[in-house]
């Protein structure tokens, strides 16, 4: 009979705890909280756990134009369903400067 103990395997949670104790920084992935399409527009509600930020991403699938909007957690659902009401705070991801954009009526 051997007095050798069976080797114990660690769990992912235990491995992460050891890495954190050693000072290793792990990055938590961005999480998609909600997603919807309205016509050609795709709307994503994202949470960045490391910074505890909520972001709304709006992209027109036909043109590729889009923007990201940081929203307060309490406004997240409202922004998700009414993204263009928050468009004044939009950071464009298509390289178009809002100040240079002209809106033509009709």
């Amino acid at each position: 009979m051997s007095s050798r103990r069976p080797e114990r395997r660690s769990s992912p949670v235990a491995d992460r705890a050891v890495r954190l104790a050693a000072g290793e920084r792990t990055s938590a992935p961005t999480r998609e909280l909600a997603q919807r399409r309205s016509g050609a527009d795709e709307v994503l509600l994202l949470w960045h756990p490391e910074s505890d930020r909520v972001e709304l991403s709006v992209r027109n699938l036909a043109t590729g134009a889009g923007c990201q909007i940081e929203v307060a957690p309490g406004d997240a659902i409202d922004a998700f369903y009414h993204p263009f009401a928050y468009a004044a705070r939009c950071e464009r991801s298509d390289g178009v400067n809002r100040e240079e954009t002209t809106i033509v009526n009709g």
Side-chain angles (χ1 to χ4, degrees), residues 45-60:
L45 187 59
L46 306 168
W47 175 51
H48 302 279
E50 284 196 355
S51 58
D52 199 24
R53 291 183 321 109
V54 178
E55 176 183 32
L56 187 69
S57 174
V58 181
R59 184 171 61 111
N60 183 292

Side-chain angles (χ1 to χ4, degrees), residues 91-103:
E91 297 172 18
R92 300 292 297 242
S93 64
D94 59 359
V96 175
N97 185 343
R98 272 185 280 130
E99 287 78 30
E100 296 175 4
T101 303
T102 304
I103 299 173

Side-chain angles (χ1 to χ4, degrees), residues 10-30:
S10 63
S11 70
V13 173
D15 290 344
R16 184 172 187 265
V18 169
R19 287 194 309 271
L20 289 174
E24 182 181 319
R25 221 177 142 176
T26 59
S27 64
T30 298

Side-chain angles (χ1 to χ4, degrees), residues 3-90:
S3 63
R4 188 172 166 215
R5 285 198 227 172
E7 190 175 312
R8 213 173 163 193
R9 292 188 181 206
S10 63
S11 70
V13 173
D15 290 344
R16 184 172 187 265
V18 169
R19 287 194 309 271
L20 289 174
E24 182 181 319
R25 221 177 142 176
T26 59
S27 64
T30 298
R31 295 187 184 160
E32 183 179 286
L33 302 176
Q35 182 269 342
R36 70 182 180 88
R37 282 185 62 180
S38 177
D41 293 325
E42 177 183 57
V43 182
L44 301 173
L45 187 59
L46 306 168
W47 175 51
H48 302 279
E50 284 196 355
S51 58
D52 199 24
R53 291 183 321 109
V54 178
E55 176 183 32
L56 187 69
S57 174
V58 181
R59 184 171 61 111
N60 183 292
L61 299 174
T63 66
C67 68
Q68 291 75 42
I69 306 164
E70 185 173 343
V71 295
D75 294 332
I77 285 296
D78 187 53
F80 178 71
Y81 286 110
H82 308 286
F84 297 106
Y86 291 77
R89 298 185 287 181
C90 193

